[in-house]
Amino acid sequence: MRITALAGGIGGSRFIRGLRAQLTTTHPDGSGGTTAEVTVIGNTGDDIWVHGLRVCPDLDTVMYTLGGGISTERGWGREGETFTAKAELAGYGVEPTWFGLGDKDIATHLVRTASLAAGYSLTEVTAALCARWQPGVTLLPMSDDRAETHVVVDDPSGARDDSGRPMQIAIHFQEWWIKYRAALPAHSFAIIGIDTAKPAPGVIEAIENADLIIFPPSNPVVSIGTILAVPGIAAAIRSATGPVVGVSPIVGGAPVRGMADSCLQAIGVETSAAAVAAHYGARADGGLLDVWLVDEQDADVVETVRALGISCRAIPLMMTDVAATALMAAECLHSVNS
Ligand code: GDP
Ligand code: CA
């Protein structure tokens, strides 16, 4: 079986770790095997150049989480991390000072930046980094081209135009998310370069050849939404032969973690499991989903989602540990040939 999942950072990688556990069989002699090939299409809209280094936060979160190197406490970056270089950079007074650049993590960014400078594509560099981490999946960036999310906000300096209206500026997604904790109201998102970005090699094939396509509980706007915005990806999902199953990141009217509500508000979508399903739409109706899994807490929206033409079930969706997450993945697997 071939499974293709789209993924942001924390929500996506934790789900895929559970999926991988669900797919792994251990034989009586202790040897192991997997019953499926998994391809993960990672969001690169969060990518940022920091102090001359190319940082790919979502790809690295997937790679470190599946490779056993993630900080379990923070959910991003490396376990046992130190921040000496960050403090030294701040000592020079150079911006950005708000970006969490750990010393171990910097090694990854150095390898990536040097390899890109030598002419390798992000797809090739990601494969090379994964040779160390052995994530057990094929990790592909959504695109090798720059497609970077920016957020249109009122200028935080308070600047106004000639008619006294607040000036609007676009800031990098990471500045909005980390420095401002998504508290500056977003007017819109602009993905710089998206119009001419091409899906990375293997992305469209992974969608077309999948027996199952999964939208893990990643941010619907700035993770899954960005991947879907790469020209050709959404169309490939609409016409794919495998079923498309989505897992709600919204439970009980709020994101389980993070600030997806601020993102949904900016695109005019209510923060609810049903509204996110409606936003993706039913494949039968030109949209993207065949099946939508909501949390038990949201059992009351199941009928609403079904009325959209999307099959829907309410199950526990809290990724408290790998075993609980594996059960969520098992529910997704039930959608193949059912
Ligand atoms: P990011 O790139 O690190 O922000 O991560 P993602 O976009 O992959 O995932 C973020 C989303 O994961 C958030 O909107 C959360 O609501 C969702 N999330 C985090 N933990 C859980 C969980 O245990 N269950 C569910 N259903 N969603 C979760
Ligand atoms: Ca992200």
Side-chain angles (χ1 to χ4, degrees):
M1 182 164 53
R2 282 174 293 206
I3 300 173
T4 296
L6 313 191
I10 295 181
S13 59
R14 287 192 179 166
F15 177 84
I16 292 155
R17 187 170 56 186
L19 172 68
R20 200 186 50 183
Q22 181 62 27
L23 294 169
T24 304
T25 50
T26 308
H27 304 300
D29 66 359
S31 66
T34 175
T35 49
E37 266 175 51
V38 179
T39 301
V40 177
I41 301 171
N43 172 40
T44 58
D46 293 12
D47 290 13
I48 185 167
W49 287 87
V50 185
H51 305 299
L53 300 177
R54 171 70 177 271
V55 183
C56 300
D58 286 359
L59 292 180
D60 287 349
T61 298
V62 173
M63 185 173 81
Y64 293 154
T65 301
L66 298 177
I70 199 82
S71 159
T72 39
E73 188 197 330
R74 281 194 312 275
W76 57 268
R78 296 284 308 280
E79 192 77 291
E81 188 59 286
T82 52
F83 291 88
T84 306
K86 182 176 187 255
E88 287 295 309
L89 287 159
Y92 287 105
V94 290
E95 290 292 336
T97 47
W98 41 263
F99 194 82
L101 208 51
D103 298 327
K104 289 183 179 179
D105 202 22
I106 284 174
T108 303
H109 310 321
L110 283 168
V111 173
R112 175 186 293 122
T113 307
S115 304
L116 290 170
Y120 292 99
S121 68
L122 184 60
T123 302
E124 291 167 325
V125 175
T126 304
L129 294 170
C130 285
R132 172 181 176 194
W133 291 102
Q134 295 290 314
V137 302
T138 302
L139 177 60
L140 301 176
M142 67 188 198
S143 177
D144 283 335
D145 304 319
R146 179 181 182 224
E148 214 175 78
T149 307
H150 283 60
V151 190
V152 179
V153 294
D154 287 348
D155 189 335
S157 76
R160 290 181 177 266
D161 66 16
D162 293 343
S163 38
R165 280 187 294 265
M167 295 274 264
Q168 294 190 356
I169 58 166
I171 59 176
H172 193 284
F173 169 74
Q174 296 294 352
E175 185 174 3
W176 182 69
W177 191 254
I178 298 171
K179 182 173 170 186
Y180 294 107
R181 304 291 305 156
L184 281 181
H187 296 296
S188 59
F189 294 96
I191 314 171
I192 313 293
I194 196 74
D195 294 345
T196 53
K198 291 175 295 300
V203 164
I204 297 296
E205 292 80 353
I207 294 167
E208 286 175 350
N209 297 334
D211 300 300
L212 172 63
I213 297 167
I214 302 180
F215 291 8
S218 282
N219 188 308
V221 185
V222 295
S223 293
I224 305 276
T226 312
I227 300 169
L228 293 172
V230 177
I233 293 188
I237 293 174
R238 283 194 185 92
S239 59
T241 49
V244 184
V245 183
V247 182
S248 180
I250 305 299
V251 171
V256 176
R257 176 185 173 131
M259 299 150 301
D261 43 347
S262 304
C263 303
L264 287 164
Q265 194 178 9
I267 63 160
V269 175
E270 188 191 68
T271 302
S272 75
V276 173
H279 168 67
Y280 287 137
R283 278 218 300 174
D285 202 17
L288 296 159
L289 292 176
D290 298 309
V291 180
W292 185 238
L293 300 177
V294 300
D295 188 75
E296 284 174 322
Q297 279 188 48
D298 296 310
D300 55 332
V301 308
V302 167
E303 286 309 322
T304 313
V305 175
R306 287 181 182 160
L308 298 166
I310 301 166
S311 167
C312 186
R313 292 192 296 281
I315 60 158
L317 288 191
M318 290 308 212
M319 300 190 284
T320 41
D321 54 29
V322 175
T325 313
L327 291 177
M328 290 163 54
E331 285 288 337
C332 294
L333 296 169
H334 287 159
S335 302
V336 184
N337 304 323
S338 75

